[in-house]
Amino acid sequence: MSDFGFLKTHRTWEDWCGMLLGALIVVSPWFPIQLEAPIAGHQIAILNTVAIGLVVFGLAQLEYVALQRWEEVMTILVGLWLIVSPYVLGYSGEGFLRLYHSSLGAVVVLLGVLQLWQDWEQSDQDLLKHG
């Protein structure tokens, strides 16, 4: 019988995974499977992507150093923004970039929800013991 007890505790590998996701988001406009040059007419999309990636990376670093619930809520919100940003900023016609951002945003949201679920009933003192 499988025991999912390892999912009930916030572990540092989750924070490292968040940092990796942030780095992947930053470089996603330059992933090799693009049909056209990502720079052409999409400076706003690139700035948005780099900013989101840096925020995800920074939030994961904060969680690694000093875990608090607001960091996880912000991670979820930033992941949701990454999912909808191709439609809001007008680059949803770019197939692979939209796919990258939707997929990476979904993984960020799932990671944030997992971490928030793990830390929901923890006291502030227990959160400070993380890491």
Side-chain angles (χ1 to χ4, degrees):
M1 185 154 108
S2 177
D3 181 32
F4 290 104
F6 71 96
L7 287 178
K8 293 184 178 187
T9 304
H10 189 130
R11 306 203 187 270
T12 55
W13 68 263
E14 296 166 0
D15 302 328
W16 284 102
C17 185
M19 288 183 245
L20 177 64
L21 280 170
L24 285 174
I25 292 167
V26 167
V27 299
S28 67
W30 297 281
F31 279 176
I33 308 175
Q34 296 290 335
L35 297 178
E36 61 184 55
I39 307 289
H42 295 295
Q43 288 83 11
I44 296 294
I46 292 172
L47 287 173
N48 178 62
T49 303
V50 170
I52 289 173
L54 291 175
V55 168
V56 169
F57 188 87
L59 286 170
Q61 281 187 329
L62 282 175
E63 288 180 16
Y64 184 73
V65 174
L67 182 61
Q68 295 185 2
R69 286 181 199 89
W70 69 266
E71 298 159 350
E72 295 155 352
V73 172
M74 288 302 298
T75 300
I76 294 168
L77 293 175
V78 169
L80 290 173
W81 171 250
L82 183 60
I83 293 171
V84 300
S85 63
Y87 305 100
V88 173
L89 298 177
Y91 64 98
S92 62
E94 310 300 321
F96 283 111
L97 195 56
R98 180 189 69 227
L99 179 66
Y100 290 152
H101 288 179
S102 298
S103 301
L104 290 170
V107 173
V108 169
V109 168
L110 289 174
L111 185 63
V113 167
L114 173 66
Q115 292 173 341
L116 186 62
W117 174 71
Q118 291 169 337
D119 300 334
W120 189 257
E121 294 183 8
Q122 299 279 335
S123 68
D124 290 338
Q125 284 73 29
D126 290 337
L127 291 177
L128 290 175
K129 293 177 188 175
H130 171 72

